[in-house]
Amino acid sequence: MMGQPPLHAGLAAIPSQVPSVDVYVTYRCDMRCRHCFVGDALNMGTDLPAESLAAFLRTAVGSWGTEEVSFLGGEPTLYRDIDTAIGMARSLGCRVRIVSNGGPGLARLLQRESQGPMHIALSFDGSTSQQHDRIRKPGSHGSTLASITAARRLGHSVSAILSVGQHNIDDALGTLRLLAETDIDYVNVHYVTNRGFATADMVAPMTDWLGLRERVARLESRPAVRFERTYQPAAQRLHCLADSKSMLMLFPDSRVFTCSMYLGLPDGNAFWWNGAELVPHEPFGRRYETRRRTTGHCPAARFVNANLVAEAETGGRRIGCIFDKELFLPAGPPVRSFVPGRNTQ
C-alpha cells in the first residue's frame, strides 16, 4: 500500500525454525496473582479451540521444526482438553512443559496423567505461606509444595518460577533457600515489570535488582538459578527474541506473539493464527520496526516503562531480553545461559 513504511523482513516473514512454542490454552484461572502479566484478559475465560490447537501443533512440528511445547494460561490444567493437548504434543514427538500455579487443577492432572514424564514449572513467590499466599491465594503455598513432591514422585522434572518485584524482593533469598530444600531442578528468577496486574510501584529499582543478583551469587545454600539479565552492561550485544522469532506464543484469542513483553501493548502480536496458518500482523511490523533498529534496549522496554530505560542509561546499562539469563549452579561462578529459541521461562 502506497505511503506505508516497508516491513522489516525479519518481522514480517513467517518463521522457519521455532524450536519451542508456548501455547496459552485458556484465559481461565483460579487465582489473580498480583504480578500476573496476562492481567484482565483472565476475566474473559476464553479457551483455545481444540481444532485450532491441533492444527497449530501439527504446523509447528511439520513446518518449523518445533521440539518442545509449553502449555500455559491462565491456568492450563483448567483447560477442558488439556489431556488431549498433552497427548497430541507427545504423539508429534515433542517434549511437554506445563506452567502451573500448583493448585488443585495440577493435582488432578498429576493423579490421572500416566503417558510419561514431562516438565512441570511451578510459580512460587514466597518463603512462607503468609508471603506467598498474599501474592497468590490462601493455601497456595502449601499446595505448590505438595505439587513439587507429587510431580517428582511420578517421575516428572520440576522447576520453579520466582517473579521478583518490590513486593517480595526482600524475601527472595529466603524463597530460594526454601526451594533449595525441595527436590527441584532449577529456579527461574524473573524481573516484574508493570504489565497486566502489576503496577509501576511493584517494579524494583535497578540498584535493588543488581544487588539481589550479587546476593544470589554469594548465597551458600541455593538451587540452580536462572537469573534474568534485565540490566546488561551497555557494551553487551543485545539479543532479541522478537527479532529472531525463535519462539512463538499462541493465545486463546488467536494472537501470536514473538515475545511476552508485547502482551498488552497496542498491536503487540506479530501474527494471527487463523486456524490453519500464521498471518503476519502488519501493524506490529510498522509500529515496532523503527524501535528495533534504533534502540539499544529491548524494543518493548520504552513502551512498557520508559523509566526503566532512563534508569539503565544513567547507570551505563541497557535493558536486555527477558530470555537472556545467567545460570547460577548450586556451587561455582555464574555462567551465561542464554540460548536463542530455547524456552527458559
Side-chain angles (χ1 to χ4, degrees), residues 192-328:
V192 170
T193 53
N194 49 302
R195 297 175 294 148
F197 293 142
T199 53
D201 62 315
M202 295 172 64
V203 179
M206 178 180 70
T207 52
D208 291 359
W209 181 251
L210 295 176
L212 175 62
R213 184 256 180 213
E214 294 303 315
R215 291 193 295 276
V216 171
R218 296 193 303 267
L219 190 62
E220 292 185 2
S221 177
R222 70 177 184 229
V225 173
R226 296 175 175 179
F227 196 88
E228 192 173 302
R229 300 180 71 250
T230 309
Y231 295 95
Q232 299 180 1
Q236 180 72 56
R237 179 175 176 267
L238 178 69
H239 295 274
C240 178
L241 197 70
D243 188 39
S244 66
K245 297 190 302 298
S246 52
M247 185 169 66
L248 297 179
M249 305 171 187
L250 172 64
F251 280 76
D253 50 14
S254 299
R255 293 179 299 165
V256 179
F257 292 79
T258 49
C259 178
S260 58
M261 284 290 287
Y262 292 105
L263 187 67
L265 297 180
D267 297 322
N269 55 305
F271 302 98
W272 293 97
W273 176 249
N274 68 3
E277 61 182 354
L278 284 180
V279 178
H281 186 209
E282 295 188 1
F284 175 82
R286 291 196 299 268
R287 185 160 186 169
Y288 295 106
E289 165 61 2
T290 299
R291 183 66 61 193
R292 188 202 68 82
R293 284 190 291 105
T294 59
T295 185
H297 305 272
C298 161
R302 196 177 299 274
F303 294 103
V304 171
N305 189 330
N307 291 334
L308 300 182
V309 174
E311 189 174 11
E313 291 178 347
T314 299
R317 293 178 176 269
R318 72 171 81 221
I319 304 297
C321 179
I322 61 172
F323 291 92
D324 194 350
K325 304 190 178 179
E326 287 181 291
L327 174 62
F328 294 83

Side-chain angles (χ1 to χ4, degrees), residues 70-302:
S70 295
F71 294 112
L72 310 90
E75 170 53 40
T77 61
L78 300 181
Y79 180 55
R80 62 179 180 270
D81 295 312
I82 187 62
D83 299 83
T84 301
I86 293 171
M88 180 177 300
R90 283 179 167 147
S91 70
L92 291 169
C94 292
R95 300 184 302 275
V96 173
R97 295 174 72 252
I98 302 290
V99 181
S100 171
N101 59 31
L106 179 64
R108 291 191 294 268
L109 175 66
L110 292 176
Q111 288 172 1
R112 66 179 185 267
E113 169 56 36
S114 60
Q115 299 181 63
M118 56 187 173
H119 184 84
I120 310 294
L122 296 166
S123 300
F124 203 90
D125 294 306
S127 64
T128 66
S129 57
Q130 180 180 13
Q131 292 281 357
H132 178 93
D133 292 358
R134 70 185 177 89
I135 296 170
R136 295 189 166 271
K137 183 179 181 179
S140 60
H141 187 264
S143 66
T144 305
L145 287 173
S147 291
I148 294 174
T149 301
R152 293 303 302 211
R153 185 178 66 249
L154 293 169
H156 304 300
S157 59
V158 183
S159 64
I161 302 168
L162 170 57
S163 300
V164 177
Q166 283 292 83
H167 59 296
N168 65 344
I169 194 169
D170 291 338
D171 185 50
L173 291 187
T175 304
L176 290 175
R177 291 190 187 98
L178 174 62
L179 290 170
E181 298 173 1
T182 68
D183 190 11
I184 205 164
D185 294 283
Y186 60 89
V187 181
N188 274 310
V189 179
H190 285 328
Y191 182 81
V192 170
T193 53
N194 49 302
R195 297 175 294 148
F197 293 142
T199 53
D201 62 315
M202 295 172 64
V203 179
M206 178 180 70
T207 52
D208 291 359
W209 181 251
L210 295 176
L212 175 62
R213 184 256 180 213
E214 294 303 315
R215 291 193 295 276
V216 171
R218 296 193 303 267
L219 190 62
E220 292 185 2
S221 177
R222 70 177 184 229
V225 173
R226 296 175 175 179
F227 196 88
E228 192 173 302
R229 300 180 71 250
T230 309
Y231 295 95
Q232 299 180 1
Q236 180 72 56
R237 179 175 176 267
L238 178 69
H239 295 274
C240 178
L241 197 70
D243 188 39
S244 66
K245 297 190 302 298
S246 52
M247 185 169 66
L248 297 179
M249 305 171 187
L250 172 64
F251 280 76
D253 50 14
S254 299
R255 293 179 299 165
V256 179
F257 292 79
T258 49
C259 178
S260 58
M261 284 290 287
Y262 292 105
L263 187 67
L265 297 180
D267 297 322
N269 55 305
F271 302 98
W272 293 97
W273 176 249
N274 68 3
E277 61 182 354
L278 284 180
V279 178
H281 186 209
E282 295 188 1
F284 175 82
R286 291 196 299 268
R287 185 160 186 169
Y288 295 106
E289 165 61 2
T290 299
R291 183 66 61 193
R292 188 202 68 82
R293 284 190 291 105
T294 59
T295 185
H297 305 272
C298 161
R302 196 177 299 274

